[in-house]
Amino acid sequence: MKLRRKLFAAVSSLAVASAVLLTGCGAPAQEGTALKETGTLTLSVNPEIQIEYNREGKVTDLTGRNDDGKTIVAAYPDYIGKNCEVVLQDLIVEINEAGFFVDDIDGNKKNIVLQLEPGSVLPSDDFLEDMSLRTQETVKGLDLASGIVTIDDDDYDPAYAKDGEPSPYITLEKAQEIALTQANVNAANAVFDDREFDHDDGTPIFELEFTANGNEYEYDIHAVTGKVVRAEHKTIGTQSGNQNTSSGSGNYDDTDYGPNNDGVTDYNDTDYGPNNDGVTDYNDTDYGPNNDGVTDYNDTDYGPNNDGVTDYNDTDYGPNNDGVTDYNDTDYGPNNDGVTDYNDTDYGPNSDGVTDYNDTNYGDTNYDDGGSDYSDSDDDGDSGYDD
């Protein structure tokens, strides 16, 4: 389109060249369009606001083009004589504070469209580019994620210019750019399947269908203002898609909350054990001694000298606990010297270590005391039962 206009400018009449020189405008107007002493820049989010300015770039008037735009203008009365870029930035702040950037279109923040009316005077050669730059700075300062689209003289389709009046319709290429910006899709990844210009209940619309990154998109773009009228997309192969022009959408396929949280669930990655490297080592069950990732099933040494090797012969918990059980050391009796003297059973009188089995004298019982007199009167040991 720009190439066509450059060729046209090269063969244009002297009258057009004179008009350019007289107005000081940095670029020729659309075919058949008379250059003006003022310009009109339209800011569109959802509120649509016309900013009128003079040759010096000073604002002369603000007009709300829809109800939301009128509300914003009413809240910003002090604009006359300010630089166009200052007023533009102030309006974006007002629109943000009014909450118009909260709602999404197809899961993305709303575009900001800066549209220069055909034939508008240009205070500088890079006027629209400067306005776009100021808008980007403001958006960044507000932590917004909106895309920014500009529409200038070259973005109107000259095929619809008539009777000296500029074309009211943007080009198909500009409508596609607006759709891709809103969808946050790189043009190199998009393939447009269907493109149609139509009037929907009297509204001129570009009906666009394109695919990108495994999704199918259907967007309707207002052919005059560049506003996104309808937007939806669906994953290829599904029955229903995301149809939303006012709220966001989520990626419901992203259930990756495990290792390597990269947005794709790796259902084979169940490695939550030792050496969590994304691969489960089912043989690594070593939670015992020397936790080195290999289970030493022979390491059951929880006894004496816990050195990782069980000494099954070390059961010496008795006397002289030196790691070797002395099974002969059962000497818990007299003279506990580590050797049991099985002959030492002398617990009676004269406990001298030798039991005197003949020593049964535990005192004089004299069972006959007390007058029992069992007819034994001779104290000779004879009971005298025969007497």
Side-chain angles (χ1 to χ4, degrees), residues 42-46 48 65 105 110-116 147-152 155-156 168-182 197 203-206 208 219-231:
T42 300
L43 167 65
S44 296
V45 181
N46 184 44
E48 296 179 12
R65 291 178 53 175
I105 295 180
K110 297 177 182 177
N111 283 345
I112 297 176
V113 180
L114 301 178
Q115 183 177 26
L116 190 65
I148 301 170
V149 180
T150 60
I151 302 174
D152 64 10
D155 295 319
Y156 291 92
Y169 305 132
I170 62 176
T171 63
L172 171 63
E173 291 77 14
K174 178 56 64 172
Q176 291 175 333
E177 177 189 338
I178 293 171
L180 293 175
T181 301
Q182 182 60 67
F197 178 74
T203 302
I205 295 293
F206 282 104
L208 307 176
Y219 275 55
D220 289 351
I221 308 299
H222 197 293
V224 175
T225 66
K227 182 177 180 179
V228 178
V229 178
R230 184 179 70 92

Side-chain angles (χ1 to χ4, degrees), residues 3-191:
L3 177 60
R4 186 195 311 175
R5 294 200 55 75
K6 289 180 179 179
L7 292 174
F8 172 77
V11 298
S12 61
S13 64
L14 291 176
V16 174
S18 298
V20 172
L21 292 174
L22 288 174
T23 59
C25 184
Q30 192 177 157
E31 181 179 355
T33 303
L35 295 174
K36 300 184 296 184
E37 289 296 315
T38 60
T40 301
L41 178 68
T42 300
L43 167 65
S44 296
V45 181
N46 184 44
E48 296 179 12
I49 302 171
Q50 283 187 178
I51 306 172
E52 295 185 23
Y53 60 90
N54 59 23
R55 290 179 57 83
E56 287 74 36
K58 305 293 185 180
V59 174
T60 59
D61 196 13
L62 290 181
T63 304
R65 291 178 53 175
N66 61 4
D67 290 341
D68 292 333
K70 293 175 182 178
T71 300
I72 297 298
V73 170
Y76 181 60
D78 187 19
Y79 55 82
I80 299 295
K82 289 185 177 180
N83 288 332
C84 190
E85 61 186 47
V86 173
V87 173
L88 175 62
Q89 291 175 310
D90 287 346
L91 289 174
I92 293 174
V93 172
E94 292 284 345
I95 291 172
N96 180 60
E97 291 180 352
F100 287 103
F101 285 109
V102 174
D103 292 336
D104 296 340
I105 295 180
D106 196 29
N108 297 304
K109 294 302 180 181
K110 297 177 182 177
N111 283 345
I112 297 176
V113 180
L114 301 178
Q115 183 177 26
L116 190 65
E117 185 177 294
S120 292
V121 65
L122 299 178
S124 66
D125 290 343
D126 299 323
F127 174 71
L128 190 57
E129 288 80 359
D130 289 342
M131 295 301 101
S132 177
L133 179 60
R134 297 296 179 266
T135 301
Q136 292 174 25
E137 293 174 351
T138 307
V139 166
K140 183 178 180 180
L142 296 173
D143 290 328
L144 300 176
S146 296
I148 301 170
V149 180
T150 60
I151 302 174
D152 64 10
D153 282 349
D154 292 332
D155 295 319
Y156 291 92
D157 192 341
Y160 294 95
K162 186 178 181 181
D163 299 332
E165 294 294 328
S167 170
Y169 305 132
I170 62 176
T171 63
L172 171 63
E173 291 77 14
K174 178 56 64 172
Q176 291 175 333
E177 177 189 338
I178 293 171
L180 293 175
T181 301
Q182 182 60 67
N184 195 26
V185 170
N186 191 307
N189 299 327
V191 176

